[in-house]
Amino acid sequence: MKKNFVLDTNVLLHDPRSIFGFGDNDVIIPIYVIEEIDNFKRDLSTLGRNARQVSRYLDEFRVQGKLREGVPIGPDRGGVIRVLVAEHKLPATVAADGHSVDDKILAVALELLDRDRSRPTVFVTKDTNLRIRADALGLHAEDYDVEGVELDELWSGVADLEVPSESVNEFYADGALAWQPEGDPPPPNEFVVLRDRANPQHSAVGKYSAPRQSFVQLIKTPKEGVWGIRPRNKEQSFALDLLLNDDIRLVTIVGKAGTGKTLLAIAAGLQKTMEDGVYQKLLVSRPIFPLGRDIGYLPGSVEEKLNPWMQPIFDNVEYLMNLSRSEKKAGRGYHELLDLGILEIEPLTYIRGRSIPNQFIIVDEAQNLTPHEVKTIITRVGDGTKIVLTGDPYQIDNPYVDQTNNGLIHVVNRFKSERLAGHITMSKGERSPLAELAANLL
């Protein structure tokens, strides 16, 4: 049965192409949504670009026919898109003031529900409170979620595999174990714990190499560590393997606070840049919330403007530099790497349009990016560049994304089967016993 989907403003600002994402069903856009989008069209942020794209799409439909009556939409042209106006306000008992934009948008959906009983009407919004209000009014409401993978279902990047004891011994002896074709092969670069069926304590860790169709050993960490950092647990060993592997160009690391994801990424970046000379520069950035916000209102140079957001990065760099108290008093610090051109701090606001070759890029707090924003960033990657996305989906500040549809999770899902990409989910905190306890209890 065909349905009527009424779209809220935040859905279109989140994904302008959501208009085309409802198959042969009808897409209804309240005119009040157009008014809200008009308020964003002059912004230089991603929201502004999305608002302008929505306006262009609707103008193209307007040329094809009357939007009030409906214009065919979609590849099969089975559905239509309409722009409607509410003829009545919400009941005074449920409307805060009867004049808010949310009230008017809900009124359009409720009138359509009453007028067209031949098909279901679904109100689509990313506003949690508005979904609750819609439900209280008897209107079916849904979140706009293209892929909808819950965090507990997210691919962890690690699998447990029971094998005969001789297979574990063969892996240790030869450094590899051929994959036995039983069903589909593992995703490329998936880590594996090979466990002896007879003795689970007898095990080995490795990862799946798609070109060799075998489980292979991890990259060995130097005795002196990676800029003095050695993995403290199995997950950190997996993360370092991805970070130090030059064949893997896209790395995603998901983990709660204190798991070491940012510190390991920076240590590997410095190792590959300064010690190994694989990359020309280490470029580090975090979203200035919200992404695209102009930092010009802050005083000072770009570096000084970014300091409040980038201080966690600087803290990690100075920790890796292992400076003594006297050296810090003498003025030594991360500025030395900036002055040498080894480390660069780049606001994501200005990354659009750039091509970045031969660099090691770290985007921290990537959970605050939308799928469109993360696409913009990854498509800036030039030849010979490696990009690392780190973040904690439980700590999201961007109101336009949530735990299941942010840019970081989007990349994990889309690149799961690609040989150029690798992923690891980290759960064990190593910052301190107190930090680990707080992360689990609070």
Side-chain angles (χ1 to χ4, degrees):
M1 181 183 296
K2 294 184 65 172
K3 299 179 181 180
N4 294 321
F5 286 95
V6 182
L7 306 190
D8 192 12
T9 311
N10 48 47
V11 174
L12 297 174
L13 291 177
H14 174 77
D15 180 8
R17 291 196 58 82
S18 59
I19 294 173
F20 307 98
F22 295 92
D24 60 352
N25 297 292
D26 288 1
V27 175
I28 314 300
I29 300 179
I31 195 169
Y32 316 106
V33 167
I34 310 299
E35 295 174 1
E36 282 198 311
I37 286 176
D38 189 62
N39 295 329
F40 287 92
K41 67 181 181 182
R42 292 182 178 83
D43 288 4
L44 299 179
S45 64
T46 300
L47 293 180
R49 287 190 291 271
N50 289 350
R52 293 188 291 272
Q53 185 61 57
V54 171
S55 299
R56 285 192 287 268
Y57 284 148
L58 293 178
D59 193 47
E60 291 173 3
F61 287 125
R62 182 192 61 80
V63 174
Q64 299 174 28
K66 295 182 179 180
L67 286 172
R68 180 178 178 85
E69 298 175 2
V71 178
I73 186 176
D76 56 0
R77 316 299 281 181
V80 300
I81 183 170
R82 287 187 285 165
V83 176
L84 297 184
V85 183
E87 298 178 1
H88 304 286
K89 296 179 181 178
L90 286 178
T93 54
V94 295
D97 55 16
H99 299 286
S100 75
V101 176
D102 285 350
D103 291 341
K104 296 175 181 178
I105 293 173
L106 281 175
V108 170
L110 287 171
E111 287 186 9
L112 184 64
L113 177 65
D114 291 336
R115 193 164 61 240
D116 187 358
R117 294 289 183 177
S118 63
R119 61 176 67 176
T121 295
V122 181
F123 180 53
V124 184
T125 178
K126 298 195 67 61
D127 187 331
T128 305
N129 291 329
L130 201 53
R131 290 199 298 270
I132 296 172
R133 291 184 61 195
D135 186 75
L137 294 170
L139 182 64
H140 179 65
E142 294 181 358
D143 186 12
Y144 177 74
D145 193 350
V146 178
E147 296 184 340
V149 177
E150 296 296 329
L151 285 183
D152 56 0
E153 300 174 356
L154 179 70
W155 177 50
S156 68
V158 184
D160 267 43
L161 184 64
E162 288 190 350
V163 295
S165 58
E166 55 268 22
S167 295
V168 178
N169 296 332
E170 178 185 343
F171 182 80
Y172 277 117
D174 301 338
L177 178 66
W179 171 69
Q180 302 298 323
E182 297 177 359
D184 296 331
N189 304 312
E190 181 179 57
F191 297 99
V192 63
V193 180
L194 301 172
R195 298 191 184 277
D196 187 339
R197 288 197 185 100
N199 179 17
Q201 300 301 319
H202 183 214
S203 63
V205 294
K207 73 174 180 181
Y208 180 69
S209 171
R212 297 174 58 180
Q213 294 188 334
S214 301
F215 299 107
V216 298
Q217 292 184 345
L218 306 182
I219 295 175
K220 291 184 178 179
T221 305
K223 290 183 178 180
E224 66 277 9
V226 179
W227 262 64
I229 298 297
R230 294 188 59 83
R232 293 186 176 183
N233 58 52
K234 182 174 57 182
E235 295 169 351
Q236 291 191 353
S237 297
F238 294 157
L240 274 179
D241 181 89
L242 296 175
L243 293 166
L244 297 176
N245 190 335
D246 297 327
D247 294 329
I248 299 177
R249 294 298 177 176
L250 172 64
V251 177
T252 50
I253 304 177
V254 172
K256 63 184 179 181
T259 52
K261 53 189 182 296
T262 304
L263 180 65
L264 290 172
I266 295 175
L270 291 173
Q271 177 74 28
K272 287 293 182 179
T273 303
M274 290 191 67
E275 307 299 331
D276 301 343
V278 177
Y279 306 100
Q280 296 177 355
K281 187 182 297 184
L282 171 60
L283 190 154
V284 186
S285 189
R286 311 173 90 210
I288 299 172
F289 178 74
L291 180 65
R293 179 180 179 183
D294 189 0
I295 61 174
Y297 71 95
L298 291 173
S301 64
V302 172
E303 180 188 336
E304 292 169 337
K305 296 171 190 288
L306 285 171
N307 274 341
W309 287 278
M310 301 304 296
Q311 194 57 50
I313 301 298
F314 298 147
D315 291 343
N316 279 314
V317 171
E318 293 192 344
Y319 174 79
L320 292 169
M321 292 177 72
N322 197 25
L323 299 174
S324 65
R325 184 176 301 178
S326 60
E327 288 175 322
K328 291 182 179 180
K329 286 183 178 180
R332 296 197 59 191
Y334 67 89
H335 293 284
E336 296 178 23
L337 299 181
L338 292 172
D339 294 339
L340 290 172
I342 295 172
L343 175 64
E344 180 182 349
I345 307 302
E346 176 73 23
L348 291 179
T349 308
Y350 306 129
I351 203 170
R352 189 180 182 91
R354 287 189 59 185
S355 179
I356 308 174
N358 302 314
Q359 296 188 27
F360 193 105
I361 303 175
I362 299 173
V363 179
D364 197 24
E365 303 292 349
Q367 78 277 1
N368 283 320
L369 300 172
T370 68
H372 178 75
E373 289 165 347
V374 84
K375 176 182 178 180
T376 299
I377 294 166
I378 296 177
T379 53
R380 300 304 96 208
V381 171
D383 190 35
T385 287
K386 181 177 186 126
I387 184 167
V388 181
L389 305 176
T390 68
D392 179 3
Y394 289 103
Q395 296 186 8
I396 293 179
D397 302 313
N398 189 339
Y400 293 96
V401 299
D402 58 32
Q403 293 179 358
T404 63
N405 63 15
N406 60 80
L408 178 60
I409 301 303
H410 183 71
V411 171
V412 174
N413 293 330
R414 288 299 182 94
F415 281 85
K416 179 179 179 179
S417 302
E418 302 299 324
R419 296 186 180 185
L420 285 175
H423 168 72
I424 183 65
T425 298
M426 305 174 70
S427 59
K428 183 172 175 52
E430 295 289 356
R431 180 171 291 163
S432 70
L434 177 58
E436 168 73 355
L437 196 60
N440 293 329
L441 296 182
L442 300 180

